[in-house]
Amino acid sequence: MPSVPTVPATVEPLPSPEILWRSERPELVALQWEARRRIASPWGMLAVALLESLLTIPHGVLYRSKLHPDGSPLNLAIALVGSSGAGKSTLYHGVAYALEFLGADVPDPESVRSGEGIPALMGWMEKGEDGAVVLVWRRGDHAVSLHYDEVGQLGAQAARTGSTISDAIKSLTSGERLGGQNSKGDGLTIPARSYRAVVTVAVQPSRAAPLLNDEAVAGGLAARFVYALVEDPTIAHLPIPTRSTERVTVPLTQRDNGVRFVDALPVMDAAHEADTRAAHRGEREPVDSRLLLNRAIIAIAFANLAGRAVLIDEDWELAGAFMAQSLQTREAVQDAVAAPVEDQRARLEAKMMERMQTMRGEGATFQEARRRLSRPQGDALTAMIRESRFTPW
């Protein structure tokens, strides 16, 4: 009689986020040092480094596990969590200072207003001498990086009648076909699995509903995103390092052999199996349906940062620590989204009052102080004056 295979009962718990920064990998040391020097979030800087690492991997390389022997594209979406203008440019400049992807031309982040605009960032259709229409790629590596400055912008676009932006992001991360042809044969089609794509969205926690509401969860958009802190209170007290560290060179010759697949480790195959069985038992939350796939893609990005085309156990462990931080951040964002409107208004008013008192103490006139407020704070001040809860000086 054939033996019955052992079925893993549950997925192993994620490691603690703190283990990631105990690593002695040169690239992680350089990123952490640069984050400290710029008083920036190491999680946000690492998120950008991981995305750029993925963008340097040839678009034809796929992640292969036992459950998916045909492979999965290495595309990823990350929510950068912080207040508006929380330092995206600092993260990208910091990564460029800490790491050099040797010989790579990493695409700059671009923005589009609709799902239909995404294929145009990748290429265009051109008629050849024989009359046949062919796709011409804008970049030889078929790579694209999308960024949305505010999650509200993404939500507003998604809410428009006929908008395809949410579906396009889901298609991008899955490496599906983009665009299409009309009845006249016009249009632009990007074939499935023919490109590398990463997506970033700047997320203010209280405005993150477009990524986490019931529709986003049911439609699969919520599961696409990994979360990284851009504003991290744990770094506020850390001193700026005085001893310099060297810029780390990330070699890319590990991809020159043309290997198409990055194979899962045995521990990864076991995790995928346990997770899939848990889903069939109704024990996996829909918002976590891509958690292990995202972890695997991040593990591959870690391996690539270390100059390897194959995975080792440490890559999986580090990716797990990053995902643990992501889940903690997502939970905090969910709490902010669920907070009553009254609580959000009270926090805004308290912050505004504190700023006004500080500026008054510095000798500013009421009108000068009012001009320095953000628009939401100014609106809150106007309401408080109208309701006789604030007296100008």
Side-chain angles (χ1 to χ4, degrees):
M1 293 289 292
S3 62
V4 178
T6 301
V7 177
T10 59
V11 180
E12 291 294 321
L14 294 172
S16 171
E18 288 73 23
I19 72 161
L20 196 148
W21 300 115
R22 298 176 195 148
S23 170
E24 296 181 355
R25 290 193 181 191
E27 60 276 14
L28 294 182
V29 172
L31 287 168
Q32 187 175 26
W33 184 93
E34 189 60 28
R36 288 273 296 275
R37 189 177 75 84
R38 295 173 183 262
I39 316 180
S41 166
W43 294 108
M45 198 166 289
L46 176 57
V48 170
L50 292 170
L51 293 176
E52 293 195 348
S53 177
L54 291 173
L55 287 168
T56 67
I57 299 175
H59 66 273
V61 176
L62 304 171
Y63 167 60
R64 180 168 63 182
S65 63
K66 286 185 177 179
L67 289 184
H68 296 281
D70 51 335
S72 301
L74 307 181
N75 299 338
L76 190 66
I78 294 186
L80 301 174
V81 180
S83 63
S84 181
K88 176 179 72 75
S89 60
T90 297
L91 302 180
Y92 280 90
H93 290 314
V95 170
Y97 198 92
L99 306 177
E100 179 187 9
F101 293 93
L102 200 60
D105 174 24
V106 181
D108 293 326
E110 299 188 69
S111 181
V112 292
R113 295 185 175 274
S114 66
E116 292 84 351
I118 294 175
L121 293 177
M122 298 184 177
W124 66 90
M125 305 303 292
E126 190 173 281
K127 184 176 292 187
E129 295 180 359
D130 59 355
V133 178
V134 296
L135 171 63
V136 179
W137 292 94
R138 294 189 182 277
R139 294 177 55 94
D141 58 6
H142 303 189
V144 64
S145 174
L146 296 183
H147 177 74
Y148 295 88
D149 284 326
E150 289 190 359
V151 69
Q153 172 193 5
L154 180 63
Q157 292 177 9
R160 293 174 187 163
T161 302
S163 174
T164 59
I165 192 70
S166 295
D167 288 338
I169 289 177
K170 289 187 290 185
S171 296
L172 268 177
T173 51
S174 297
E176 297 172 359
R177 189 184 75 165
L178 304 174
Q181 311 293 124
N182 58 28
S183 58
K184 297 180 180 179
D186 299 325
L188 171 61
T189 298
I190 305 297
R193 300 185 171 209
S194 66
Y195 56 87
R196 172 77 65 248
V198 300
V199 181
T200 52
V201 179
V203 174
Q204 294 173 271
S206 62
R207 302 184 63 190
L211 296 185
L212 292 167
N213 58 24
D214 291 343
E215 182 179 354
V217 172
L221 179 66
R224 263 37 181 210
F225 280 87
V226 177
Y227 287 75
L229 283 173
V230 176
E231 287 183 338
D232 183 357
T234 63
I235 68 171
H237 68 284
L238 297 177
I240 295 175
T242 55
R243 188 177 63 180
S244 63
T245 187
E246 294 183 1
R247 190 184 193 195
V248 173
T249 298
V250 179
L252 300 175
T253 54
Q254 64 269 23
R255 301 292 172 184
D256 291 347
N257 57 11
V259 174
R260 186 183 176 194
F261 294 105
V262 179
D263 287 318
L265 300 166
V267 66
M268 298 167 70
D269 279 324
H272 287 305
E273 180 181 344
D275 181 64
T276 302
R277 294 182 185 279
H280 282 288
R281 294 193 299 266
E283 297 172 356
R284 185 182 70 189
E285 295 293 335
V287 72
D288 292 329
S289 60
R290 278 179 60 101
L291 190 152
L292 287 184
L293 176 57
N294 286 338
R295 180 179 176 180
I297 292 171
I298 290 170
I300 292 169
F302 272 119
N304 192 62
L305 282 175
R308 286 182 282 99
V310 295
L311 292 167
I312 62 175
D313 287 339
E314 187 185 31
D315 300 322
W316 181 242
E317 187 80 356
L318 293 174
F322 191 87
M323 290 305 299
Q325 183 273 341
S326 170
L327 294 184
Q328 290 180 7
T329 305
R330 189 185 73 190
E331 183 177 3
V333 171
Q334 288 172 316
D335 289 344
V337 170
V341 174
E342 292 78 9
D343 290 351
Q344 296 179 28
R345 184 184 300 117
R347 287 196 296 269
L348 177 63
E349 290 180 354
K351 188 173 182 179
M352 179 273 296
M353 290 286 288
E354 182 180 358
R355 286 202 63 196
M356 292 295 283
Q357 290 171 2
T358 299
M359 289 187 284
R360 185 176 185 178
E362 294 171 348
T365 67
F366 171 75
Q367 292 299 332
E368 288 173 340
R370 183 169 187 163
R371 283 195 295 270
R372 296 178 193 174
L373 296 176
S374 66
R375 183 170 180 177
Q377 290 175 347
D379 292 342
L381 177 61
T382 299
M384 291 182 70
I385 294 173
R386 188 185 308 119
E387 297 165 6
S388 300
R389 294 191 292 125
F390 187 96
T391 302
W393 63 86

